[in-house]
Amino acid sequence: GGIRITHRDPERIGERYLGSIPTAPRALTEEFTGTLGPSIRTIVPVESDGSVVGWVSVGVTIGSIAATLGPRILVVIGIAAALLAAGLVGAVVARRATRQVTGDLPAGAIRDAVSSFESLRTLGEALRAQTHEHGNRMHTAIALLELGRTPEAIEILAETSRQSQVLVDEVAARRDGDPTVGALLLGKASQAKERGIRWRSRIEPDAPRSVLSPVDAVSVVGNLIDNALDAAAAGPEPRWVEIRMTRTEEDELEIAVSDSGTGVPPELRRRIFEHGFSTKPAAAEGRGVGLALVAAIVDDAGGTLALDHDPTTFRVILPRRQA
């Protein structure tokens, strides 16, 4: 079996089919390198009176899929434009912070410069993950469309929209929400999914407005989430990260980030907020900066930062914004 009786290249007729033929009469879709190069192909049985009398295989080469991306490139351009805009804003913020480097920088200016860098780093990682996830889904949807499997392609795109809309609705429902932090959370949700970590969020509509600037807010929330993602990824399954923004009884803003990791060893709990201390490998980017910076920003704002256990939870309380 497996002898070709048709082929777009007549010289290939009579040769053996290159690819997988299921042992049972069922459809199979796979990526395989055949006579025309790498392709996505589907093979289905041809039955007569309940018996398999042959197989039909159709496919599309990876090269032809790539060639069809041109009309759909507007989506990619839109994402690139958003990243460019974020980069320009970050460049302006960074320039303001670093223009004083030639003189004697006060401690506050140094902290602002580090906060700007950390804010750009964590926001950039979030946007990259969101772009990567979107690109993967678009590539899969396009391949399904080429194979004529339109309902499955629509379902993939609709699922992407549903997942993002849930978090968008939470962020939008908050009266005094920060759109920058909202964009960060959308990206971090994609980053969690990319790492196989379940993302949970609870943002209450009456959570008060933060006293922090957008740059400091992104730095605080982003670093806490980054640490939680790292801890969850290194811990046992099920892996999850949860962020909550709520109003306290004193009308203060509470930001709590929890994770499923193994927690912070008791002997290290006092040192984790020290500048330069880290439990990550020496080559890890941002080593020893994140939690120390979070503590400094929260302290400057008159807030508190605490570490709870079972599960591991970093809890930030920020004072009310003055009218």
Side-chain angles (χ1 to χ4, degrees):
I3 301 301
R4 295 193 186 98
I5 60 174
T6 63
H7 196 277
R8 61 185 298 177
D9 182 356
E11 295 183 0
R12 299 290 183 180
I13 296 175
E15 294 182 357
R16 184 170 295 278
Y17 171 74
L18 298 180
S20 302
I21 299 179
T23 55
R26 63 182 180 85
L28 172 68
T29 298
E30 65 176 350
E31 182 176 338
F32 194 86
T33 300
T35 57
L36 301 178
S39 63
I40 296 176
R41 56 174 66 180
T42 297
I43 185 171
V44 296
V46 178
E47 299 183 57
S48 177
D49 298 328
S51 300
V52 177
V53 296
W55 296 83
V56 174
S57 175
V58 294
V60 58
T61 62
I62 299 298
S64 65
I65 294 176
T68 64
L69 290 177
R72 304 173 178 90
I73 202 66
L74 289 178
V75 176
V76 178
I77 293 176
I79 294 173
L83 291 175
L84 178 60
L88 290 175
V89 172
V92 172
V93 174
R95 182 183 178 187
R96 291 179 179 176
T98 56
R99 287 175 68 180
Q100 304 176 63
V101 171
T102 55
D104 294 328
L105 284 174
I110 294 175
R111 201 270 292 161
D112 288 343
V114 175
S115 178
S116 296
F117 172 80
E118 283 293 290
S119 179
L120 288 173
R121 179 195 62 78
T122 189
L123 186 57
E125 289 178 353
L127 290 173
R128 179 209 57 77
Q130 192 173 21
T131 302
H132 184 257
E133 180 189 14
H134 180 77
N136 281 344
R137 288 182 176 270
M138 285 294 295
H139 184 80
T140 303
I142 290 171
L144 289 171
L145 288 172
E146 294 289 345
L147 293 172
R149 298 163 67 177
T150 303
E152 295 173 52
I154 293 175
E155 176 59 27
I156 284 179
L157 297 176
E159 179 63 20
T160 301
S161 177
R162 283 195 296 267
Q163 291 172 352
S164 298
Q165 192 62 44
V166 171
L167 187 52
V168 168
D169 290 343
E170 282 189 335
V171 173
R174 186 179 168 209
R175 280 200 312 268
D176 298 317
D178 183 346
T180 308
V181 174
L184 172 73
L185 295 181
L186 283 172
K188 290 302 178 184
S190 296
Q191 201 170 346
K193 184 172 183 179
E194 187 179 63
R195 301 179 68 175
I197 299 170
R198 182 181 177 187
W199 174 269
R200 304 196 300 231
S201 63
R202 180 163 64 89
I203 305 173
E204 295 187 355
D206 66 343
R209 185 179 179 185
S210 171
V211 296
L212 301 178
S213 68
V215 168
D216 283 347
V218 168
S219 188
V220 167
V221 176
N223 271 289
L224 291 180
I225 293 175
D226 286 344
N227 282 341
L229 290 174
D230 288 341
E237 294 185 352
R239 300 181 176 93
W240 55 265
V241 165
E242 180 180 59
I243 179 170
R244 302 179 299 280
M245 292 187 182
T246 58
R247 178 186 292 269
T248 68
E249 294 181 356
E250 292 75 25
D251 291 332
E252 298 175 319
L253 173 63
E254 177 178 319
I255 303 171
V257 180
S258 306
D259 64 72
S260 60
T262 55
V264 181
E267 65 273 14
L268 300 180
R269 291 172 186 173
R270 290 189 177 182
R271 299 189 59 197
I272 57 175
F273 299 111
E274 297 176 4
H275 183 80
F277 178 79
S278 176
T279 58
K280 299 177 184 179
E285 185 177 352
R287 175 173 49 90
V289 173
L291 287 177
L293 178 61
V294 170
I297 293 174
V298 172
D299 185 64
D300 287 350
T304 60
L305 172 61
L307 171 61
D308 298 336
H309 310 283
D310 299 322
T312 302
T313 302
F314 285 91
R315 196 177 307 276
V316 173
I317 305 293
L318 294 172
R320 290 179 293 178
R321 178 180 286 270
Q322 298 300 320

